[in-house]
Amino acid sequence: MGLCGQAGRHSSAGTELGSTKMPTVKYQRGDMVMGRWPGSSLYYEVKVLHFDAKSQLYTVIYKDGTELELKEQDIKSAAARTTRPSCTAAAVAAAAITESASPSRRDAKLKDSFEVRLIPPEQTKASENNGNKKHEKKEDNEPANKVNEKSEPEKNQSRYNLRRRKDDGDGKAEAKAEQLEEKEAKMAAAAAPPSVSLDFGGKLGAYFWLLFLPAWVLFLVLKVNQEDPSLANFPPLWPLLESFWDAKALGFVVLWILFQVLLYILPVGKLSEGMPLRSGERLKYRTNGFFAMVVSCVAVAAAVQQGADLTYIHSHFLQLAVSSFLISVLLSSYLYVRSGRAAAEQLALGGSSGNVAYDFFKGRELNPRIKYFDLKFFCEMRPGLIGWCLINFALALAEMKRQGLEAPSHAMILVNLFQLLYVADGLWNEEAILTTMDLMHDGFGFMLAFGDLVWVPFTYTLQAYYLVSRPTPLSPPALAAIVTLKLVGFYIFRKSNSEKNAFRRNPSDPQLSHLKTIPTATGRSLLVSGWWGVVRHPNYLGDLLMALAWSLPCGFSHLLPWYYMIYFIILLVHRDSRDMSECRRKYGSAWDEYCRTVPYRIIPRVY
Ligand SMILES: NC(=O)C1=CN([C@@H]2O[C@H](COP(=O)(O)OP(=O)(O)OC[C@H]3O[C@@H](n4cnc5c(N)ncnc54)[C@H](OP(=O)(O)O)[C@@H]3O)[C@@H](O)[C@H]2O)C=CC1
Ligand SMILES: CC(C)CCC[C@@H](C)[C@H]1CC=C2C3=C(CC[C@@]21C)[C@@]1(C)CC[C@H](O)C(C)(C)[C@@H]1CC3
């Protein structure tokens, strides 16, 4: 400790470093020195970024971008280097915690009181770019730094843990540390600067998608209505203009949405907490989706019992789709207008390009709410998702009617049951959606509004629609193989999603204590064993296997029922790459380390 002492001070008052002057200090901005890792006696190579005369603290940066603030006595000149000169902060910390394994030494370290502030890598760049002045301002103003001003070496230790977590001993200490970890994650998130990269082909891409997506749905709906839906039979017949519109169809769609609104606002079911927002706040969500689904099923069964003819949905598919499209456009316009009044911290990162088309498409506001009514959460989980099952059921009835069957075909039953299971599972585990990309990162705009209200109910039902007028017999072995495939996919999908969700909600969950994790500078860890150690997106793998099981019952005569499979591969590959860049931005070198440890993205040894 303090090996360098106060001797040998440079008398470098007023030295010019770029555009800023450093006061009289021992180490200068840009110096490569050895910084002591909090809570340990290990020193690692760091670069001096800044000295704050007021607090007498040096801001230093590790090789992986982690910034700390250290006292002078915790810094040695590079000549005194003894250990691990090029370690990342994560590895450094791992070494530090391993070192502090014995309780007595650990206690001693807890008493150790040197000031340290952890700053996420995003800020590092900002501080490097902006120079010292800005940095000083940031320190003064940001709540993240204010909270971290407390001396809590154990806080830093808790985050860095490459050992199996059940080896840690004292559960209480760990729980406390995890709480701190969560607090820091909030702070890091609050401090994250807006991202500037635009996905989906940027501004020009947005125009393209705004035109292409509705046109594509129209194309699919017209195509599946053709007697011969093969690609060669192109273009499909263009219907008369008046057949696009049906006021009754619009009325049904509006009624359905209002019915779902009613179920959503009923004070039934759990209130779940979302992930911390950049402001540190955690929104509450009424997670009664499964209840809404059960009530909807009962209501539909009662309506059928009363003589309602659900095959209307089959015969008015186009009009229903057009009505939903109109509602999605209205909703997106409302979302765009209201986002103009939203505070900066309520906007999604990268959701404010300034370009009307892009912002309208991608959505600006992260969690648009009318009082407690969360529009994004509601739309993603209710009308379209439950509507998907309703439409499938109606299509099974239409198949019986069209083909004169007493019961739906085996293929139709499989498609119906498989997709019903998928939706029911999503609603049963509704809380898990709060840790998905859409809820945590994406703004709510046309893409999701259209996706939820039009894309899901009117294109995810194409397999069932296809089967209505195309009998596809299945042999018992084929049936058994398809069911097995679906169950395997479902198992992988559910287990991996639940594992990540449970870990994000409670990193010290005893049931996850056998899993290995990589610490990151934000305070959150990444799972590197279990499902998330097999590939980087095991949930996508399970989802893709299920998608395959949904298409197989429709046979190989046409490409149309395989549309979902093809679309889904493209969607998930793109989603994976979006997520990779986002995680790279968030976690820096810890993410690279994760990618090195888990080299495959979705399919082990293939991709
Ligand atoms: N049927 C459909 O149309 C669609 C279905 N889906 C399904 O929805 C589900 C959710 O998908 P999606 O939101 O895309 O992505 P994920 O649920 O996979 O969420 C990705 C996030 O998980 C966290 N994460 C990534 N790796 C790790 C790790 N090793 N340890 C801990 N956390 C990690 C990161 O967020 P952080 O670190 O910030 O927590 C990352 O941003 C999937 O099952 C997918 O298949 C998705 C799209 C469409
Ligand atoms: C129109 C665009 C090209 C694409 C829009 C994509 C959306 C349709 C999907 C984005 C993520 C989704 C999820 C589900 C449905 C499709 C959308 C909205 C999901 C609710 C399906 C049920 C699952 O169990 C789930 C994991 C909850 C899904 C979450 C993501």
Side-chain angles (χ1 to χ4, degrees):
M1 252 317 275
L3 291 179
C4 300
Q6 303 300 309
R9 265 180 195 279
H10 298 178
S11 54
S12 52
T15 307
E16 283 289 341
L17 282 166
S19 60
T20 46
K21 284 186 174 188
M22 280 282 240
T24 308
V25 284
K26 181 168 176 184
Y27 304 109
Q28 300 301 309
R29 184 171 167 219
D31 279 356
M32 294 306 291
V33 291
M34 305 302 289
R36 192 168 86 109
W37 183 257
S40 91
S41 55
L42 298 173
Y43 284 76
Y44 300 92
E45 195 175 68
V46 293
K47 185 171 162 189
V48 176
L49 289 182
H50 170 65
F51 175 74
D52 184 42
K54 220 163 138 196
S55 62
Q56 293 288 302
L57 290 175
Y58 285 88
T59 304
V60 299
I61 182 166
Y62 285 79
K63 293 212 159 174
D64 67 350
T66 304
E67 266 191 46
L68 294 176
E69 293 200 350
L70 300 178
K71 281 185 176 170
E72 194 177 271
Q73 63 260 40
D74 297 318
I75 299 177
K76 305 193 240 185
S77 71
R81 158 191 307 197
T82 50
T83 45
R84 298 175 184 82
S86 59
C87 279
T88 63
V92 167
I97 197 162
T98 311
E99 214 207 6
S100 65
S102 95
S104 54
R105 289 180 69 184
R106 187 173 169 154
D107 285 347
K109 284 178 202 342
L110 295 182
K111 280 186 215 126
D112 199 349
S113 63
F114 53 99
E115 286 187 290
V116 52
R117 299 180 216 181
L118 246 176
I119 299 160
E122 297 95 308
Q123 285 186 25
T124 306
K125 279 190 200 104
S127 65
E128 271 184 335
N129 294 341
N130 298 342
N132 289 353
K133 268 196 181 131
K134 242 194 171 143
H135 194 80
E136 275 166 21
K137 197 168 162 230
K138 189 169 65 186
E139 284 169 7
D140 289 344
N141 296 336
E142 281 181 9
N145 293 332
K146 284 210 169 111
V147 171
N148 286 345
E149 269 166 24
K150 282 188 202 139
S151 307
E152 288 174 356
E154 81 273 28
K155 174 166 70 182
N156 301 311
Q157 291 170 6
S158 74
R159 264 176 285 183
Y160 297 104
N161 182 1
L162 290 171
R163 295 174 296 120
R164 293 182 345 156
R165 292 167 314 124
K166 71 175 159 202
D167 302 341
D168 277 354
D170 182 7
K172 269 192 199 154
E174 179 168 294
K176 190 180 166 217
E178 298 295 0
Q179 274 170 12
L180 287 163
E181 184 175 289
E182 189 182 303
K183 200 161 142 197
E184 278 173 7
K186 279 187 204 169
M187 298 308 176
S195 142
V196 281
S197 70
L198 304 182
D199 344 282
F200 296 96
K203 295 165 189 171
L204 264 185
Y207 286 106
F208 168 78
W209 292 115
L210 283 171
L211 296 174
F212 173 78
L213 291 174
W216 181 248
V217 175
L218 178 63
F219 169 75
L220 289 175
V221 171
L222 297 181
K223 198 88 194 116
V224 76
N225 264 309
Q226 281 183 308
E227 210 155 297
D228 170 19
S230 57
L231 280 182
N233 194 7
F234 186 86
L237 259 185
W238 187 258
L240 292 172
L241 213 57
E242 54 264 33
S243 58
F244 280 88
W245 170 251
D246 182 59
K248 210 164 125 193
L250 177 67
F252 282 132
V253 176
V254 171
L255 269 182
W256 176 253
I257 294 176
L258 289 179
F259 178 53
Q260 293 305 324
V261 169
L262 177 73
L263 296 177
Y264 177 66
I265 58 176
L266 282 182
V268 176
K270 200 168 145 195
L271 272 179
S272 306
E273 275 199 324
M275 290 290 106
L277 301 173
R278 290 205 298 282
S279 61
E281 192 194 349
R282 292 181 84 149
L283 296 175
K284 288 207 160 52
Y285 296 84
R286 171 80 58 197
T287 44
N288 61 2
F290 193 75
F291 158 80
M293 183 174 183
V294 172
V295 176
S296 305
C297 289
V298 172
V300 168
V304 173
Q305 190 72 27
Q306 293 299 308
D309 181 11
L310 284 195
T311 60
Y312 173 90
I313 293 178
H314 177 248
S315 52
H316 291 78
F317 203 64
L318 176 62
Q319 293 83 353
L320 290 165
V322 170
S323 304
S324 300
F325 171 66
L326 291 179
I327 294 173
S328 73
V329 172
L330 278 179
L331 175 62
S332 323
S333 310
Y334 165 72
L335 291 167
Y336 180 75
V337 171
R338 65 167 272 157
S339 71
R341 297 193 305 266
E345 62 171 23
Q346 291 169 331
L347 300 181
L349 289 184
S352 246
S353 68
N355 178 278
V356 178
Y358 186 83
D359 293 346
F360 175 81
F361 174 72
K362 201 59 205 307
R364 299 179 74 227
E365 213 176 333
L366 190 57
N367 304 290
R369 285 185 159 208
I370 301 172
K371 294 213 166 148
Y372 296 104
F373 192 94
D374 192 290
L375 292 164
K376 183 164 68 169
F377 179 72
F378 169 76
C379 287
E380 180 132 348
M381 295 309 285
R382 305 305 171 82
L385 211 57
I386 304 177
W388 173 8
C389 298
L390 169 67
I391 295 176
N392 269 352
F393 177 58
L395 294 173
L397 297 178
E399 184 201 41
M400 288 161 63
K401 192 170 168 184
R402 173 74 63 99
Q403 296 182 31
L405 303 172
E406 284 191 352
S409 65
H410 287 144
M412 181 63 98
I413 292 175
L414 285 193
V415 169
N416 256 269
L417 285 184
F418 287 173
Q419 298 184 350
L420 183 75
L421 172 68
Y422 187 67
V423 172
D425 166 80
L427 294 168
W428 182 262
N429 297 288
E430 200 174 18
E431 208 178 53
I433 201 181
L434 303 176
T435 61
T436 62
M437 277 167 69
D438 308 69
L439 264 286
M440 293 199 312
H441 310 304
D442 289 342
F444 192 30
F446 179 81
M447 185 182 81
L448 275 181
F450 175 83
D452 296 337
L453 301 179
V454 184
W455 193 263
V456 168
F458 296 97
T459 72
Y460 286 23
T461 47
L462 276 185
Q463 283 125 342
Y465 204 112
Y466 174 87
L467 290 171
V468 169
S469 44
R470 294 165 192 97
T472 313
L474 287 176
S475 66
L479 218 130
I482 295 172
V483 171
T484 311
L485 180 68
K486 166 74 190 182
L487 294 179
V488 171
F490 179 66
Y491 183 77
I492 299 175
F493 169 82
R494 177 46 38 226
K495 286 284 179 189
S496 53
N497 271 329
S498 297
E499 187 173 88
K500 195 243 315 180
N501 183 51
F503 179 69
R504 276 287 170 256
R505 290 197 166 273
N506 178 14
S508 49
D509 185 340
Q511 290 184 359
L512 303 174
S513 60
H514 61 288
L515 296 177
K516 287 184 186 157
T517 60
I518 290 185
T520 76
T522 65
R524 285 192 196 195
S525 303
L526 292 164
L527 290 166
V528 263
S529 71
W531 289 103
W532 297 81
V534 179
V535 282
R536 282 180 243 158
H537 262 126
N539 48 354
Y540 290 1
L541 175 64
D543 222 339
L544 282 170
L545 293 179
M546 288 195 283
L548 184 59
W550 299 353
S551 293
L552 282 170
C554 303
F556 300 97
S557 309
H558 292 109
L559 200 58
L560 199 64
W562 289 87
Y563 147 77
Y564 180 78
M565 183 72 206
I566 298 166
Y567 141 78
F568 208 43
I569 293 174
I570 300 170
L571 179 94
L572 292 185
V573 166
H574 176 247
R575 230 173 140 85
D576 170 78
S577 75
R578 271 207 302 146
D579 196 35
M580 292 299 128
S581 345
E582 176 62 22
C583 289
R584 177 72 188 72
R585 187 191 68 75
K586 267 188 291 190
Y587 299 128
S589 65
W591 184 255
D592 294 335
E593 196 182 334
Y594 175 56
C595 294
R596 272 193 302 277
T597 318
V598 184
Y600 291 98
R601 290 165 178 248
I602 301 177
I603 307 174
R605 293 174 188 282
V606 178
Y607 176 73

